[in-house]
C-alpha cells in the first residue's frame, strides 16, 4: 500500500514531499479524515466527505474538490493500493504553502491535498475478547473539537498518558462530564439503556457513533444522546469506545476497576453483530 495522492499526482510514499513552509507542517493548519475501506469499498464515504466539508468551513479553507472529484480520487487510490483488501484511507488538507512564516493567512494559498492508504488492524470482536482498558483524564483540548483538525497535540499527549498507564484509551472529562476518547467516541450502557453524549462543540461527531445510533433505532434498542457524568461513567454496566479504525471497542477495565462484571456485555455483543451485518450488506451491494 505505498501509493499516495499528493496535489493531483499518484506517487510512491517514499517520493511524496511537501515544502517546509506548508502551514500544516508549521502550524498544524489543516483538517483530515480517516475512511475505513472494506474489501476495497470506502465505507460511509459521503458521511466522511460531509464532515470534511464542515471541518474545512470551520477553519476557512475552500473545498479544493467537488464531490465527484473526491469520489474519483478516493476510488483511484484504493484501486492502486488495496485491490479488495481492508485499509484505512487517510485524507488531509492543509491551507497550503506560504511565501514566509506568518500566523495570518490570506485567501490566495493553494491547499495541499494528501491521501494515503494503510493496512487496517481492528481489535478482536470475539464475544470472549478481554476487551480494552481505559483511564479518565481531564480534557485539555480546545473548544472546537467538532472540527477534525490535524492539530492533535493534546490528543497525542492524552493517548500516550493512557498507554503509559497500561490502558488503550483515555476518556476525557470536561466540567465533570465524560465527553469522548482521545480518538474515539464514548458509549455507556446502564440498566439496558445505551447512552452517548450529544453532539456538541467540544466533541467530534463520529461517523461510527452515528451509524451505531442508526442501527439501534432500526433494531428497537433503546439509545439516548444524553450527557454522561463522571459518576455515571464509573457506575456503567458497559463502556464502548467507537471509531472508524477501532469500530466498537468494549472497555472492561476503567481506572483499574472492572466495568460491570469485567467482561464484554450483552448489548455490545448485539450491537457489534448488527455492525458487522451492516458492513457485509454494504460490501455485497
Ligand atoms: C477525538 C475523536 N473522537 C471521535 C472519533 C471517532 O470518529 P469516527 O467514528 O468518525 O472515526 C475520532 C476518530 O478519529 C476522534 O479523533
Amino acid at each position: 500500500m505505498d501509493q499516495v495522492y499528493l496535489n493531483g499526482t499518484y506517487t510512491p510514499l517514499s517520493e511524496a514531499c511537501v515544502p517546509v513552509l506548508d502551514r500544516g507542517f508549521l502550524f498544524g493548519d489543516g483538517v483530515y479524515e480517516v475512511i475505513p475501506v472494506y474489501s476495497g469499498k470506502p465505507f460511509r464515504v459521503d458521511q466522511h466527505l460531509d464532515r470534511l466539508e464542515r471541518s474545512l468551513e470551520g477553519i476557512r479553507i475552500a473545498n479544493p474538490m467537488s464531490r465527484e472529484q473526491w469520489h474519483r480520487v478516493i476510488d483511484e487510490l484504493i484501486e492502486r493500493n488495496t485491490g479488495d483488501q481492508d485499509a484505512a484511507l487517510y485524507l488531509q488538507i492543509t491551507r497550503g504553502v506560504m511565501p514566509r512564516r506568518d500566523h495570518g493567512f490570506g485567501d490566495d494559498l493553494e491547499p495541499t491535498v494528501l491521501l494515503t492508504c494503510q493496512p487496517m488492524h481492528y481489535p478482536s470482536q470475539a464475544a470472549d475478547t478481554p476487551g480494552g482498558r481505559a483511564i479518565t483524564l481531564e480534557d485539555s483540548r480546545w473548544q472546537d473539537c467538532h472540527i477534525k483538525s490535524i492539530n492533535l497535540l493534546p490528543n497525542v499527549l492524552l493517548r500516550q498518558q493512557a498507554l503509559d498507564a497500561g490502558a488503550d484509551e483515555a476518556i476525557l472529562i470536561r466540567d465533570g462530564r465524560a465527553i469522548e476518547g482521545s480518538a474515539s467516541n464514548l458509549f455507556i450502557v446502564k440498566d439496558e439503556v445505551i447512552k452517548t453524549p450529544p453532539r456538541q462543540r467540544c466533541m467530534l461527531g463520529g461517523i461510527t457513533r452515528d451509524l451505531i445510533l442508526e442501527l439501534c433505532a432500526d433494531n428497537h434498542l433503546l439509545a439516548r444522546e444524553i450527557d454522561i457524568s463522571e459518576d455515571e461513567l464509573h457506575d456503567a454496566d458497559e463502556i464502548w469506545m467507537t471509531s472508524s479504525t477501532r469500530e466498537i471497542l468494549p472497555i472492561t477495565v476503567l481506572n483499574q476497576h472492572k466495568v460491570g462484571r469485567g467482561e464484554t456485555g450483552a448489548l455490545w455483543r448485539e450491537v457489534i453483530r448488527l455492525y458487522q451485518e451492516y458492513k457485509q450488506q454494504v460490501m455485497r451491494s
Side-chain angles (χ1 to χ4, degrees), residues 30 59 134 164 177:
I59 68 163
D164 291 345
R177 290 179 300 129

Side-chain angles (χ1 to χ4, degrees), residues 45-57:
V45 62
D46 277 310
Q47 286 85 346
H48 282 277
L49 292 173
D50 288 344
R51 184 173 63 187
L52 177 69
E53 208 144 317
R54 293 194 296 274
S55 294
L56 285 168
E57 211 176 289

Side-chain angles (χ1 to χ4, degrees), residues 43-210:
F43 189 63
R44 298 230 128 191
V45 62
D46 277 310
Q47 286 85 346
H48 282 277
L49 292 173
D50 288 344
R51 184 173 63 187
L52 177 69
E53 208 144 317
R54 293 194 296 274
S55 294
L56 285 168
E57 211 176 289
I59 68 163
R60 299 167 55 186
I61 294 180
N63 195 336
M65 288 196 229
S66 68
R67 187 59 64 105
E68 222 184 315
Q69 287 171 316
W70 280 119
H71 280 291
R72 222 175 302 131
V73 168
I74 289 169
D75 290 347
E76 169 91 41
L77 189 73
I78 292 172
E79 181 66 34
R80 286 172 181 255
N81 275 294
T82 73
D84 57 4
Q85 284 173 276
D86 292 355
L89 188 142
Y90 179 78
L91 185 169
Q92 170 176 308
I93 301 169
T94 74
R95 199 178 303 278
V97 182
M98 54 197 154
R100 61 185 176 85
R101 187 179 179 279
D102 188 353
H103 282 58
F105 55 86
D107 50 14
D108 54 347
L109 297 184
E110 188 74 27
T112 301
V113 179
L114 170 72
L115 281 82
T116 68
C117 271
Q118 280 182 203
M120 176 100 103
H121 305 287
Y122 351 84
S124 164
Q125 296 177 342
D128 63 352
T129 176
R133 293 170 170 257
I135 59 169
T136 50
L137 291 175
E138 214 38 52
D139 195 346
S140 54
R141 302 172 303 162
W142 69 333
Q143 296 293 329
D144 283 322
C145 299
H146 65 290
I147 297 172
K148 202 163 166 62
S149 155
I150 60 169
N151 204 318
L152 287 170
L153 190 53
N155 306 60
V156 165
L157 291 171
L158 290 160
R159 170 62 69 82
Q160 190 57 46
Q161 205 174 326
L163 295 175
D164 291 345
D168 303 285
E169 182 58 304
I171 299 179
L172 308 181
I173 309 293
R174 203 183 274 242
D175 303 326
R177 290 179 300 129
I179 305 291
E180 62 176 336
S182 70
S184 53
N185 286 117
L186 169 71
F187 284 78
I188 67 166
V189 176
K190 185 66 189 171
D191 298 331
E192 293 177 26
V193 180
I194 298 166
K195 298 181 184 177
T196 191
R199 272 176 182 268
Q200 51 199 296
R201 188 175 162 193
C202 64
M203 180 191 103
L204 184 75
I207 307 301
T208 318
R209 168 191 179 277
D210 290 349

